[in-house]
Amino acid sequence: MNVNGKHYKTIWLEGSTVMMLDQNALPFEFKIFESRNYKETCLAIITMITRGAGAIGAAAGFAMAQAFLEAGKKQGMQVSDFGMRVEDWVFIDAARKEIEATRPTARNLFHATEIVYESGKESIQSAINKAQQLADDNIADAMKIGEFGNALIHDGSRIMTHCNAGWLGFVDYGSALAPIYIAHREGKKFHVYADETRPRSQGARLTAWELYNEGVSHTIVPDNAGAYLMSKGMIDFIIVGADRIAANGDTANKIGTFEKAIVAKEFGVPFYVAAPLSTFDMATANGSLIPIEQRSEDEVHYQEGPDSEGKIHKIRVSSPGSSALNPAFDVTPASFIKGIITERGIIPPTIEAIRKVMEG
Ligand code: MRU
């Protein structure tokens, strides 16, 4: 991602410190959060300093590697030493549980934690290498998704997206926005409608900020404008990301995605999901089994932003005394999805196609 002409990843490892762009501060302030141990990385995931399925996966992998480093340090071990003493495995297993408890829906978190944990059985260095490799794969997968999805975009295309499945939701490039960046760099002229994505406004704050930085023509639209835009023939297709895709193609993504898919079906607008294979969960047969995170009602009651001097304020935007419900994700049934854009091509959302692509 280019910010003021400098390239940044969303998240990276420096020694034993996980560095991440602070997504709670964006787009009003650009700052980097440094997480020095696995507990701080867990907190960064919970508080959404880092967020989005791909970035959460990278963070979880790094957190697991940090736990191995911390366990090794307590024993005065070298990173290349093999094996851990029994009490260290108690520490490691507790750390794994803590990492997995940070956020329940994004499959990438569990995928990365498990892979790094297994590598750590060999040595601390293997855990670090594996976490780094997962972060590198995350970028490579996003670029391939971008290349396959680019075929859908033509001069004049009008594309809608929901939430933020861009650079910030991954280590770089993103899933839903990767085709948009590749098409833009190829010189195609098109327009993106970014749903604002209440309550945390990832579309209005993060997707819009990314598209602006990259110079992509775009407009922020309220979440409830989808039916209006689609009924007027103003949207050619929709691309969203995914937090978890069940074995039958049912897809969990940011709350409000399912509503877009229903409206898209009503008006014949193709609805695509973009996600790497690390988001697929073959152990979950269908979408009804995907755990849906419930977040604080304060995210509904309060909004924040800068005043004219740039000072950030948090203000209440709902009637005091009322309660709120804040499910963070919903599940779009496979029958609403035209295709899933993966790093191995665009596939139909069927159990057979998913099995085949997972087998390579
Ligand atoms: O709650 P978030 O911001 O972590 O939500 C995840 C998402 O960004 C979206 O659902 C996204 O489309 C998934 S892919 C980055």
Side-chain angles (χ1 to χ4, degrees), residues 313-327:
H313 298 277
K314 195 169 178 177
I315 54 162
R316 177 130 189 159
V317 292
S318 65
S319 178
S322 296
S323 63
L325 190 66
N326 188 12

Side-chain angles (χ1 to χ4, degrees), residues 20-76:
M20 41 189 113
L21 302 191
D22 185 342
Q23 301 198 38
N24 285 333
L26 288 171
F28 310 118
E29 207 185 337
F30 182 80
K31 56 181 187 181
I32 293 165
F33 179 82
E34 298 185 13
S35 164
R36 303 198 179 278
N37 54 54
Y38 89 85
K39 277 189 185 288
E40 284 181 8
T41 307
C42 284
L43 203 59
I45 299 172
I46 292 168
T47 58
M48 294 175 69
I49 286 172
T50 196
R51 50 138 299 282
I56 291 173
F62 287 144
M64 197 68 249
Q66 280 178 316
F68 277 101
L69 274 163
E70 285 165 62
K73 205 165 164 194
K74 283 204 284 175
Q75 301 304 319

Side-chain angles (χ1 to χ4, degrees), residues 48 51-53 103 163-165 169-170 202 241-243 253-254 329:
M48 294 175 69
R51 50 138 299 282
R103 295 195 70 190
C163 195
N164 173 266
F170 275 70
Q202 290 96 327
D243 292 88
N253 194 51
K254 182 52 57 188
F329 302 95

